[in-house]
């Protein structure tokens, strides 16, 4: 193990299935460096990946998701639209069931006793309402990314979306932890609307999909590894003091809410391993 460098804090960007890349990158990097951060900031699927790694359950998680996705044929079952009790979008149930399978009592205890994982949620402006807020927030996020490709989007905050940071150390049960991850990932119509403490919450990526704002104050003075989930052009990369940004070496094959191809998850994970090995070699 390399002892001359370590990261005090780690950030997991959101990105749905693309975040499997982060797991591979962490695994490769941990072979040459002891990854024991003081805190982790994460959002959406990146938050799920952080819990799997801290809980030592990344292999179980990959199997839990892959086995369910292998049995799922479509990302939308429009024939269910007018059938009582049937869902058009299968993602939320697959996501929840896989989380609950992975969060065994032993894994949950490791997560609880490990570094604090600070998950970012978004609160929509009151005047928008939940459904309009979700539609406007997602549309603004995608448009800003397409036009400007910023690492840290600004439009969501300017529209009035507010950040809400919740720690894994506040979760008392595996079910509460799974609910927190789902809240940080809440993106109707792929997921139902969710509330926390009586307030509607949406995917924290609507505030910032690379959630450095969820880091504790002391992180500003300490070295932080920021793991993205998509490649950005060099012009978008920031030269921020104390932060090291890493990203996939090419466009990943899986899209955010694609729950139909376990093979794409495997390819994404393998690329994370290779990119992590390449980065580790520079250390």
């Amino acid at each position: 193990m390399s002892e001359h460098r370590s990261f005090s804090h780690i950030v997991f960007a959101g990105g749905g299935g693309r975040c499997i890349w982060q797991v591979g990158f962490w695994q490769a990097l941990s072979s040459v460096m002891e990854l024991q951060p003081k805190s982790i900031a994460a959002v959406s699927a990146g938050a799920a990946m952080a819990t799997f790694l801290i809980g030592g359950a990344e292999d179980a998680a990959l199997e839990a998701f892959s086995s369910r996705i292998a049995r799922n044929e479509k990302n939308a079952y429009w024939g269910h639209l007018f059938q009582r009790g049937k869902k058009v979008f299968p993602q939320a149930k697959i996501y929840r069931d896989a989380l609950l399978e992975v969060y065994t009592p032993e894994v949950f205890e490791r997560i609880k006793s490990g570094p604090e994982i600070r998950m970012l949620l978004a609160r929509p402006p009151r005047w928008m309402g939940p459904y309009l807020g979700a539609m406007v927030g997602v549309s603004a996020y995608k448009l800003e990314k397409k036009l400007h490709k910023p690492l840290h989007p600004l439009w969501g905050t300017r529209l009035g979306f507010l950040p809400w940071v919740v720690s894994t150390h506040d979760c008392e049960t595996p079910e509460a932890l799974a609910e927190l991850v789902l809240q940080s990932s809440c993106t109707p119509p792929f997921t139902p609307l969710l509330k926390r403490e009586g307030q509607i919450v949406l995917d924290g990526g609507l505030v910032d999909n690379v959630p450095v704002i969820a880091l504790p104050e002391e992180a500003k003075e300490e070295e932080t590894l920021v793991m993205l989930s998509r490649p950005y052009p060099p012009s978008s990369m920031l030269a921020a003091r104390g932060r090291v940004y890493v990203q996939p070496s090419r466009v990943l094959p899986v899209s955010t809410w694609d729950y139909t191809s376990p093979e794409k998850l495997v390819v994404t994970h393998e690329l994370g391993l290779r990119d992590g090995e390449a980065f580790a070699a520079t250390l």
Side-chain angles (χ1 to χ4, degrees):
M1 294 260 182
S2 172
E3 296 181 359
H4 69 281
R5 185 174 189 175
S6 63
F7 293 101
S8 298
H9 308 275
I10 298 180
V11 177
F12 286 73
R18 299 195 309 268
C19 294
I20 294 290
W21 177 88
Q22 298 165 340
V23 172
F25 191 95
W26 173 295
Q27 289 173 318
L29 187 57
S30 65
S31 67
V32 300
M33 172 189 293
E34 195 162 10
L35 294 174
Q36 292 186 330
K38 297 177 183 178
S39 71
I40 291 171
V43 67
S44 196
M49 303 306 140
T51 63
F52 301 152
L53 288 161
I54 296 302
E58 58 268 32
D59 292 337
L62 188 58
E63 172 59 28
F65 278 93
S66 295
S67 62
R68 286 171 171 79
I69 289 172
R71 299 193 297 267
N72 179 57
E73 297 178 356
K74 304 176 184 178
N75 285 313
Y77 294 84
W78 295 110
H80 292 173
L81 192 58
F82 300 108
Q83 297 184 37
R84 185 185 297 273
K86 292 193 174 183
K87 302 291 185 182
V88 171
F89 298 99
Q91 289 88 343
K93 178 172 172 52
I94 292 173
Y95 200 174
R96 183 186 295 273
D97 289 350
L99 289 175
L100 291 174
E101 178 183 329
V102 174
Y103 294 156
T104 63
E106 295 79 12
V107 169
F108 178 70
E109 284 306 313
R110 286 197 290 269
I111 295 169
K112 282 278 287 184
S113 61
E116 180 183 35
I117 303 173
R118 299 164 60 87
M119 297 190 194
L120 180 63
L121 287 61
R123 289 182 290 181
R126 290 182 181 274
W127 61 269
M128 278 190 191
Y131 288 104
L132 179 61
M135 183 176 68
V136 170
V138 171
S139 299
Y141 170 81
K142 289 186 175 180
L143 183 60
E144 185 179 10
K145 283 284 188 183
K146 184 175 180 62
L147 293 177
H148 304 295
K149 297 180 173 61
L151 272 174
H152 302 286
L154 299 173
W155 289 9
T157 301
R158 290 173 178 171
L159 285 168
F161 289 86
L162 297 174
W164 188 356
V165 178
V166 183
S167 171
T168 49
H169 290 180
D170 295 333
C171 298
E172 297 300 327
T173 64
E175 291 75 17
L177 177 59
E179 191 67 17
L180 175 57
V181 171
L182 291 165
Q183 289 165 352
S184 184
S185 309
C186 182
T187 312
F190 298 108
T191 69
L193 281 173
L194 296 174
K195 290 184 177 182
R196 186 172 188 88
E197 298 178 10
Q199 299 185 60
I200 290 290
V201 290
L202 295 170
D203 191 311
L206 300 184
V207 174
D208 190 350
N209 198 48
V210 185
V212 295
I213 63 171
L215 288 168
E217 187 66 23
E218 62 267 21
K220 293 179 181 178
E221 306 299 325
E222 298 174 323
E223 193 160 28
T224 298
L225 176 68
V226 183
M227 293 196 292
L228 306 175
S229 64
R230 67 170 73 186
Y232 288 80
S235 59
S236 297
M237 300 301 285
L238 296 176
R241 177 184 174 189
R243 292 184 199 158
V244 176
Y245 288 81
V246 294
Q247 63 180 10
S249 56
R250 62 179 175 84
V251 175
L252 298 174
V254 65
S255 59
T256 304
W257 287 104
D258 181 7
Y259 276 35
T260 61
S261 175
E263 294 79 15
K264 289 180 180 180
L265 296 183
V266 172
V267 171
T268 299
H269 176 253
E270 289 176 347
L271 182 63
L273 286 168
R274 292 198 298 273
D275 288 345
E277 289 168 356
F279 177 77
T282 68
L283 303 178

